[in-house]
Amino acid sequence: MIHIILDQAGYNKSAEVRKHAFELGIHLHYLPAYSPNLNSIERLWKVMNEKTRNNVFFKTAKEFKSRIRKFIDEDLPEILPSLRSRITDKFHIKKAAN
């Protein structure tokens, strides 16, 4: 049995995606709306933004693309061990404020 966890983007919830998943026996599960902390890739994007583009002006798209590529090719392998604590499925459940 294959289970896929998706965010609520329209293309993930399209009739075509649901139809093909059903035909292939894939079970789709959708994250709650507006829950980026439950989506690991969102946490990785946050780290990438911190390391590459926060408070930086790129004169050209080529310069921006080059910096993102450097992050993926050079920076990410270096910082990977430290990311294990930031990109995890361990969540703290907090009580709602009254």
Side-chain angles (χ1 to χ4, degrees):
M1 178 86 41
I2 297 173
H3 295 266
I4 298 180
I5 300 170
L6 304 157
D7 63 21
Q8 299 244 5
Y11 46 81
N12 287 334
K13 294 182 81 177
S14 72
E16 186 174 353
V17 167
R18 289 180 293 160
K19 175 183 172 242
H20 287 296
F22 178 78
E23 290 169 356
L24 295 170
I26 297 171
H27 291 261
L28 303 178
H29 305 274
Y30 296 96
L31 294 171
Y34 306 107
S35 58
N37 287 339
L38 297 177
N39 191 344
S40 299
I41 196 66
E42 295 291 345
R43 288 177 270 157
L44 178 58
W45 296 146
K46 180 177 180 181
V47 172
M48 183 189 72
N49 283 327
E50 290 171 0
K51 301 285 185 187
T52 62
R53 66 175 203 89
N54 283 2
N55 299 315
V56 176
F57 173 75
F58 297 97
K59 292 180 183 179
T60 65
K62 184 177 181 178
E63 186 180 331
F64 174 71
K65 183 178 176 182
S66 173
R67 183 60 190 102
I68 299 300
R69 176 59 60 195
K70 180 186 179 299
F71 173 79
I72 293 168
D73 292 342
E74 298 173 25
D75 302 340
L76 188 56
E78 239 178 68
I79 65 171
L80 195 58
S82 70
L83 293 181
R84 288 198 167 88
S85 66
R86 289 186 72 177
I87 303 174
T88 177
D89 291 333
K90 295 178 185 173
F91 297 102
H92 299 281
I93 299 173
K94 298 188 178 202
K95 294 181 181 177
N98 293 329

